[in-house]
Amino acid sequence: MRLTVNGRVHTLDSALPLSLLELLRDRLALTGTKFVCGRGECGACTVQLDGETVYSCLTLAEACDGATVLTVEGLASGGGEPSLSPIQRAFIAKDAAQCGFCTPGQLMAAHTLLARNPHPTDDEIRSGMSGNLCRCGTYPKILAAVRAVADGEFAGSAEAGSVNAA
Amino acid sequence: MPRKTKGAAKPGGFVQTTVEIEGRTETRIVEIPAFEPAAWGTDAELGIVGARVPRMDAPERVSGRARYTTDIVRPGMLHAAIVRSTIPRGTIRSLDLSRARAMPGVLDVLGPGDAPAGTRLFGREIFYAGQPIAAVCAATGHAARSAAHAIAVEYDTLPFAVTFEDATAKDAPKVRAKGNVMENAPLVISRGDMDAGLKAADVIVRREFRTPVQLHTALEPHGAVAEWEGDRLTVWESTQGIFRVRENVSKALGITLSKVRVIKDYMGGGFGAKNGAGPHTYVAALFAKRQGRAVRCINDREAEQTDSGNRPSSTQRVTIGAKKDGTLTAIFASIDVPLGISGWEGGPGQIYHELYACPNVRTEETFAYVNASGMAAFRGPGYVEGAFGLESAMNALAKELKLDPVALRVKNFAKREPRTARPYSGNSLLQCYKEGAEAFGWSHESRKPEAGSRTRVGKGMAAQVWPTGGGPPAYALVRMNSDATVDVLAGTQDLGTGARTVLSQIAAESLGAKLSDVRAIIGDTQSLPYTGNSWGSMTTASVGPAVRMAAEDARRQLFEAAGAMLDATPDALEARDSRIVVRDTDRTMTFAEVTAKLGNVMIIGKGSRGPNPADTAIMTFGAQFAEVEVDLDTGIVRVLRIVATHDAGRIINPTLAESQLEGGIIQGLGYALFEERVLDRRLGLVMNATIHDYKIPTMADIPLIDAFFVAGADPVANHTGARGIAEPPMIPTAPAIAAAVSDAIGAEVTEIPLTPWRVLAAIAAKARR
């Protein structure tokens, strides 16, 4: 099977008895996407599959033949911090990650939400993001980060993600 | 600020000091540091400490680069899975490991009798459902899990008890070998004269409150990767205490401390449950030894929800007496706590003694063992449960006395720590009441329902206290590299709290370095100096002063070197933004120019945490205000607003500290409304061990939260002026929400979580009256 992940084409054995999540983490060493519940309850494994968010823990790898996958590792446009995507820079600036374990899934959900609806209301953000659990309770900051991107605060490739503020 | 300590208080001498951890007081012998920096008082001019600096490891966390224990891969790594008991009590009659052994990919199996005694693993006697009874090691996680399912177990079952009532009944089954109730029960803490206190009261309020078992539900489960190199063992562990894991592993497996190395880079949540090694650690280490390869053992979600610790439930029978003007005369609570099969007496009682000035206070706590997985510390252990009882009773008392709940609390404000009469290092609780009430608009009437509306709005509040002084031992090094970058080295851990950022800010401030040149290196027992667990809201107040001292020591050395280069005495130098200036001159050098001249001559500053001030109570305080909307037909509660005001001394980074406040409030909201482990009394099994069935808050549940700190610093507590903040915000949230629900429906609620049926029951009970 062939699979494009973050712009790179991978040719893999077919008949892999794996979920897309296991394929990403164990075969392709893309460990940014996290396993938490394995049953589509928490959203930590959210990735983009052909432009739609999916729970990669519930997605069979084999069913992804020919598909295009985007993971947290593919959000930045190149190497290094200045190339982080607006939603990543917003998460840094608004302190939208505490332990960070749910963050890759939150970012993918937010990225897809904003691609589909660039100017969501707060309620649309709340409902669009409520499939992604965060036990640290970072929700107000995640909401603020998505809001800020929607409002254009992180348009362009500024160095807003820099830690040189002080 | 003069610091009083017991014993010879000279640098290098040893003194006795006390440290409060999770509500327990420990006495320690510690060395007095060689020098102690002058305390940063309230008016200290600081540029980096106190600044809203972005979390320094956020780029790693948002890019997928942050490595958690579950992401660690070692060459040739194998995978382990643990088999767990499916009955709550009995003995294993037979355990057939042969089918598992024969399955593809399986390399090794451990069962009864195969683990060293120190691990207490794989006994034949079963004490709770979920208890580890065997383990499998295989080439893949799939193979290990499949083989674990293939192990056939036959049990001889025994009667069991999973509730406090069943475990303490007259003919109760033997929960464990040594008795169903903790020795010396009840645990009595008392001051004054209860009879006199009740006799002096004009009004007496009596209530019974119940709180549920709450599960930590960290998204990254407990897990470890173990690898041996000869007789040296390396463990990657998702933990709040690398040195405690090292000690646990050393004891359990009989390896000397220095041959165990524990590493924790990033972790996906702790909340109190990850304070040491566990079965997964020992299983990984044992298989790794037997197989000569690295082994990963990570809890699956069911194990995480059933056997990784919990906040135990409680029943609190509370009696409060007061004068007509609100002056408290007596507080009494009789408290039952079922701990699970193991645990400690971190009970609800403490806060009854600490929050208010009342001459007569008595708590009687009985801790029972039951056939369920043991409890563990959970963010504000004991105080979260106790605050629900105490603060709900205070709100009932205010109603009875027709007094404003804030006024009642102000009336009973404790000028000294009421249990020990010690002075506080600092206490701005009155300011919290005032600023919180103003921000909330407490004096305004709640919104009236529109005609015909079936929703009601209500408001409520509650207060909080929690010991947060931190203390020794904690050590740090600050190393200036030859490229003038600065490394802070401390064997602490960042749970998502922001420790890396906060310690870097303290070092940069003290050294006069640019923050962007500073990096905190943490989480490795082999190469970093000792610090304690990140528990009890202790890290900033314990490690922060050690880092500051190390940075001051490094600056002293840097100024010695630069003085010679700049033809000035060291005391004529100042540093800022990684540049040294000779005061009142234009002579200057950057740090990089100094280190370039030094070449490979290193500057290494050493710091340690000094003793705590003697006979001083170091606490964090706060008040929270809640507004809710209740649907009278469905019983569904929506929290509309929370205002939280806390006093934790100096705040090193307000943005990160506010994130902690919000996180604590949201976990408190879950505790108030949704979270409840359901353990079937007749089956002895957990019925909701999934994230779907055990409800934690989602983004859609989050109210408007206005969480902030009162201004100030606490130079008596330690020389950074900071106290702890991680646990306090969770303590008052549930009673504040419950009070708001009571206000909205016009009937008291005394049991959480406030699920729709409990709210409807309260409404129905009121209608029947």
Side-chain angles (χ1 to χ4, degrees):
Chain A
M1 63 179 282
R2 279 162 65 87
L3 186 67
T4 305
V5 181
N6 301 333
R8 271 185 67 183
V9 179
H10 298 268
T11 308
L12 297 144
D13 312 339
S14 60
L16 289 173
L18 295 176
S19 66
L20 175 59
L21 176 62
E22 288 166 318
L23 186 148
L24 292 169
R25 287 181 56 84
D26 301 340
R27 293 297 184 97
L28 304 182
L30 293 169
T31 56
T33 308
K34 300 300 187 233
F35 176 92
V36 171
C37 69
R39 330 168 16 131
E41 295 168 354
C42 72
C45 67
T46 303
V47 299
Q48 235 188 41
L49 179 69
D50 292 333
E52 299 285 331
T53 51
V54 295
Y55 292 142
S56 61
C57 74
L58 291 185
T59 305
L60 277 175
E62 253 205 292
C64 301
D65 192 7
T68 299
V69 175
L70 183 69
T71 73
V72 67
E73 289 94 342
L75 275 182
S77 53
E81 220 171 277
S83 64
L84 291 177
S85 65
I87 191 66
Q88 288 171 304
R89 285 187 274 122
F91 264 55
I92 295 173
K94 303 294 177 188
D95 201 38
Q98 288 188 42
C99 84
F101 206 73
C102 72
T103 306
Q106 303 275 4
L107 285 163
M108 297 314 297
H111 184 73
T112 312
L113 172 77
L114 289 167
R116 188 176 307 161
N117 179 5
H119 302 289
T121 63
D122 281 1
D123 276 344
E124 285 170 341
I125 297 172
R126 282 193 195 97
S127 80
M129 298 294 296
S130 64
N132 290 74
L133 298 179
C134 166
R135 188 48 159 166
C136 298
T138 317
Y139 298 121
K141 300 289 201 281
I142 296 171
L143 177 64
V146 180
R147 175 84 270 143
V149 173
D151 292 348
E153 211 180 300
F154 293 88
S157 59
E159 65 264 15
S162 162
V163 294
N164 293 328
Chain B
M1 183 64 55
R3 300 174 65 78
K4 291 176 292 173
T5 49
K6 284 178 181 157
K10 63 173 192 299
F14 282 77
V15 292
Q16 189 175 305
T17 191
T18 56
V19 180
E20 292 188 67
I21 304 168
E22 308 279 26
R24 307 187 300 274
T25 301
E26 291 185 3
T27 301
R28 289 174 183 169
I29 308 290
V30 294
E31 190 177 0
I32 297 186
F35 70 95
E36 189 118 319
W40 285 331
T42 310
D43 51 0
E45 285 178 28
L46 306 173
I48 301 172
V49 161
R52 291 183 176 272
V53 176
R55 200 176 283 262
M56 292 174 78
D57 51 13
E60 279 68 36
R61 295 186 199 267
V62 303
S63 62
R65 291 199 305 268
R67 281 279 172 129
Y68 298 76
T69 298
T70 182
D71 301 330
I72 299 293
V73 178
R74 302 296 301 168
M77 185 174 79
L78 304 173
H79 299 261
I82 294 175
V83 184
R84 293 171 183 275
S85 154
T86 55
I87 64 158
R89 187 81 174 100
T91 50
I92 295 173
R93 189 194 314 149
S94 72
L95 185 67
D96 182 5
L97 304 176
S98 59
R99 259 210 304 167
R101 270 206 181 90
M103 283 176 71
V106 173
L107 293 155
D108 203 355
V109 180
L110 291 168
D114 292 340
T119 64
R120 288 195 269 170
L121 278 177
F122 311 143
R124 286 197 164 268
E125 191 169 0
I126 303 301
F127 298 100
Y128 64 93
Q131 179 180 322
I133 54 176
V136 181
C137 181
T140 67
H142 262 303
R145 285 191 296 276
S146 304
H149 285 299
I151 288 176
V153 193
E154 288 183 313
Y155 302 98
D156 291 315
T157 60
L158 286 169
F160 60 89
V162 296
T163 65
F164 184 92
E165 291 72 20
D166 288 350
T168 55
K170 209 162 60 177
D171 302 317
K174 269 186 110 169
V175 166
R176 44 170 224 154
K178 281 196 287 180
N180 290 5
V181 172
M182 193 180 272
E183 282 171 35
N184 305 329
L187 172 68
V188 177
I189 310 173
S190 179
R191 69 169 181 260
D193 180 338
M194 189 47 53
D195 290 340
L198 290 172
K199 212 168 281 172
D202 295 324
V203 171
I204 293 175
V205 164
R206 288 195 175 84
R207 297 288 188 277
E208 180 175 303
F209 299 99
R210 285 173 181 266
T211 64
V213 170
Q214 187 181 27
L215 302 176
H216 298 72
T217 320
L219 291 196
E220 183 188 29
H222 288 64
V225 175
E227 186 173 45
W228 293 80
E229 217 177 322
D231 62 352
R232 290 183 178 274
L233 171 64
T234 301
V235 176
W236 288 262
E237 170 94 34
S238 178
T239 182
Q240 299 172 231
I242 51 173
F243 283 95
R244 196 149 183 270
V245 170
R246 183 178 75 156
E247 189 185 322
N248 293 160
V249 169
S250 161
K251 272 203 187 125
L253 301 182
I255 322 164
T256 190
L257 272 179
S258 58
K259 291 196 171 168
V260 182
R261 176 184 187 185
V262 180
I263 299 173
K264 203 255 5 199
D265 200 1
Y266 288 86
M267 74 187 289
F271 315 119
K274 292 181 176 171
N275 277 317
H280 57 279
T281 324
Y282 305 135
V283 164
L286 291 171
F287 278 136
K289 181 85 177 174
R290 287 157 66 110
Q291 295 299 314
R293 286 161 78 173
V295 174
R296 177 198 282 176
C297 185
I298 309 272
N299 268 0
D300 61 25
R301 181 49 52 183
E302 189 179 355
E304 192 63 15
Q305 300 302 98
T306 50
D307 191 26
S308 75
N310 59 74
R311 180 192 306 283
S313 59
S314 73
T315 302
Q316 306 172 45
R317 291 169 292 273
V318 186
T319 303
I320 296 192
K323 295 283 194 192
K324 279 193 192 112
D325 69 355
T327 306
L328 292 173
T329 61
I331 302 175
F332 173 79
S334 163
I335 298 165
D336 302 333
V337 178
L339 291 171
I341 199 62
S342 60
W344 48 280
E345 58 274 50
Q350 300 253 26
I351 194 168
Y352 284 86
H353 299 268
E354 293 177 358
L355 193 47
Y356 298 111
C358 174
N360 310 299
V361 182
R362 182 181 173 89
T363 54
E364 299 173 358
E365 296 171 274
T366 302
F367 299 95
Y369 298 101
V370 296
N371 295 115
S373 177
M375 56 81 83
F378 189 159
R379 204 170 194 166
Y383 286 59
V384 166
E385 302 92 290
F388 180 70
L390 173 63
E391 289 297 86
S392 295
M394 285 292 283
N395 286 328
L397 176 68
K399 191 146 204 242
E400 195 82 19
L401 290 166
K402 298 189 172 58
L403 279 177
D404 179 86
V406 177
L408 176 65
R409 286 168 172 87
V410 170
K411 180 95 193 161
N412 292 288
F413 172 73
K415 293 194 182 73
R416 287 176 159 249
E417 197 282 299
R419 187 169 158 192
T420 57
R422 292 174 298 169
Y424 293 111
S425 61
N427 180 348
S428 300
L429 181 56
L430 290 174
Q431 201 68 18
C432 293
Y433 291 140
K434 185 167 176 288
E435 291 185 21
E438 277 170 14
F440 184 84
W442 181 251
S443 56
H444 302 297
E445 289 287 308
S446 292
R447 176 159 52 85
K448 290 271 178 290
E450 287 167 31
S453 165
R454 295 291 292 159
T455 62
R456 295 289 181 274
V457 174
K459 63 180 181 180
M461 61 84 58
Q464 160 272 313
V465 64
W466 175 254
T468 52
Y475 303 90
L477 299 174
V478 167
R479 173 173 72 193
M480 189 164 248
N481 300 309
S482 42
D483 61 359
T485 60
V486 177
D487 295 334
V488 178
L489 300 117
T492 186
Q493 38 280 313
D494 190 328
L495 282 56
T497 49
R500 280 189 187 87
T501 309
V502 163
L503 298 178
S504 297
Q505 284 179 265
I506 291 171
E509 182 78 52
S510 306
L511 190 56
K514 274 187 212 157
L515 184 61
S516 53
D517 287 345
V518 179
R519 178 169 77 125
I521 300 172
I522 61 174
D524 184 350
T525 60
Q526 179 169 279
S527 51
L528 301 172
Y530 177 88
T531 81
N533 274 36
S534 292
W535 59 6
S537 309
M538 291 180 65
T539 301
T540 300
S542 302
V543 188
V547 167
R548 186 179 166 212
M549 183 184 160
E552 302 255 352
D553 189 29
R555 189 182 58 175
R556 183 186 56 75
Q557 297 171 45
L558 180 70
F559 281 11
E560 293 277 351
M565 298 172 194
L566 284 162
D567 193 21
T569 55
D571 59 5
L573 303 183
E574 285 174 359
R576 199 176 200 177
D577 293 334
S578 296
R579 173 178 287 281
I580 298 166
V581 184
V582 184
R583 208 174 292 118
D584 303 325
T585 74
D586 54 6
R587 298 209 301 284
T588 174
M589 278 180 95
T590 63
F591 283 13
E593 286 164 350
V594 177
T595 54
K597 285 199 176 180
L598 288 175
N600 288 323
V601 173
M602 290 204 78
I603 289 172
I604 302 175
K606 178 173 177 268
S608 61
R609 172 57 153 85
N612 281 325
D615 302 322
T616 305
I618 307 172
M619 326 282 274
T620 287
F621 307 90
Q624 291 183 8
F625 301 79
E627 183 177 53
V628 305
E629 184 179 75
V630 183
D631 185 318
L632 298 178
D633 292 329
T634 63
I636 290 174
V637 177
R638 281 201 60 83
V639 182
L640 302 174
R641 279 197 303 143
I642 300 272
V643 170
T645 318
H646 291 265
D647 163 29
R650 163 169 287 108
I651 302 304
I652 309 287
N653 186 324
T655 301
L656 273 54
E658 285 161 14
S659 289
Q660 287 222 359
L661 292 187
E662 290 169 0
I665 290 163
I666 289 166
Q667 285 182 351
L669 184 150
Y671 186 59
L673 297 185
F674 316 125
E675 296 186 39
E676 179 174 33
R677 183 192 71 184
V678 179
L679 183 55
D680 186 87
R681 185 169 164 236
R682 295 207 329 223
L683 297 173
L685 305 176
V686 178
M687 306 309 288
N688 58 344
T690 67
I691 288 180
H692 177 77
D693 293 321
Y694 182 87
K695 302 289 187 192
I696 65 173
T698 73
M699 190 184 276
D701 300 309
I702 305 309
L704 276 176
I705 299 177
D706 181 10
F708 59 96
F709 295 93
V710 296
D714 186 348
V716 178
N718 64 67
H719 55 74
T720 67
R723 302 193 296 257
I725 191 55
E727 288 156 293
M730 186 163 176
I731 295 171
T733 311
I737 289 173
V741 171
S742 294
D743 183 43
I745 66 175
E748 275 185 47
V749 288
T750 54
E751 182 173 6
I752 51 172
L754 290 164
T755 49
W757 70 264
R758 283 201 181 97
V759 175
L760 290 175
I763 295 168
K766 177 193 158 201
R768 279 197 299 273
R769 274 201 300 273

